[in-house]
Amino acid sequence: MLQLSLPQAMANADTVMASAELPAAPDEVIAALVTREVERWWGSPETYRMIGWNADLRVGGSWSVVVETADGQQLPASGEFLEIEMPRRIVQTRRYGWDHPALGRQETTVAYLLEPIAGGTRLTICHGGFAGFPDAAAEHAEGWARVLGWLQGYLGGGGRAA
């Protein structure tokens, strides 16, 4: 059985890097990240939940989701898929449809890189486009560490249907 270490994340002036070892095959991890399955695990009652996930999973296809905060606000986010190499790599743009306190509506790019390892998958996230927004980069590094913790718990049996 894969001995899971805590997710790691860090940021510099432009880019956030985060990684985690996950107890699932790469195709299961990809499904959790880019299908309606995100609604099952991405968030918590104390923070926010993802609702209304919609994606056209092809290069040039769009995706959208609504971030529903703990106090009931509904904040849209969306983007486009730039690269898809199933199940090893997906690159997509991300833009908030609201004025994020540290980032505004600046478009960023998220790359999910998946590597098979014994007992599962190493997921590395490279989230770029934060030049000029160092506070947003630091905030997103903390956010990715939290999200990867949720994903570890979910894929480890904390929420998936058998």
Side-chain angles (χ1 to χ4, degrees), residues 131-156:
F133 299 93
D135 292 345
E139 179 184 313
H140 280 74
E142 290 177 22
W144 279 119
R146 185 172 49 248
V147 166
L148 289 174
W150 291 331
L151 184 56
Q152 268 186 344
Y154 173 72
L155 293 172

Side-chain angles (χ1 to χ4, degrees), residues 7 20 22 24 27-53 65 92 94 110 112 114 123 125 143-161:
L22 303 167
D27 59 333
E28 294 175 86
V29 175
I30 283 284
L33 291 167
V34 297
T35 71
R36 183 159 231 140
E37 198 171 335
V38 300
E39 295 180 24
R40 295 186 198 157
W41 66 269
W42 195 315
S44 71
E46 306 80 40
T47 57
Y48 57 84
R49 302 294 298 181
M50 298 295 191
I51 61 172
W53 174 263
V65 72
Q92 65 192 65
R94 175 191 279 183
V110 178
Y112 296 118
L114 295 94
L123 171 63
I125 296 166
W144 279 119
R146 185 172 49 248
V147 166
L148 289 174
W150 291 331
L151 184 56
Q152 268 186 344
Y154 173 72
L155 293 172
R160 278 195 303 180

Side-chain angles (χ1 to χ4, degrees), residues 32 38 41 45 48 56-57 77 86 90 109 115-117 120-121 140 142:
V38 300
W41 66 269
Y48 57 84
D56 180 7
L57 190 57
M86 295 297 254
I90 291 187
T109 303
E115 175 187 0
I117 58 173
T121 302
H140 280 74
E142 290 177 22

Side-chain angles (χ1 to χ4, degrees), residues 50-114:
M50 298 295 191
I51 61 172
W53 174 263
N54 189 27
D56 180 7
L57 190 57
R58 64 179 175 82
V59 172
S62 63
W63 66 270
S64 63
V65 72
V66 174
V67 180
E68 186 174 63
T69 65
D71 65 3
Q73 291 183 71
Q74 294 199 348
L75 308 171
S78 61
E80 178 182 326
F81 292 105
L82 302 177
E83 298 175 39
I84 298 175
E85 297 172 30
M86 295 297 254
R88 301 187 73 87
R89 175 181 166 91
I90 291 187
V91 180
Q92 65 192 65
T93 61
R94 175 191 279 183
R95 180 184 304 249
Y96 299 113
W98 51 283
D99 292 323
H100 184 280
L103 190 62
R105 294 176 187 237
Q106 172 76 13
E107 186 173 271
T108 58
T109 303
V110 178
Y112 296 118
L113 310 170
L114 295 94

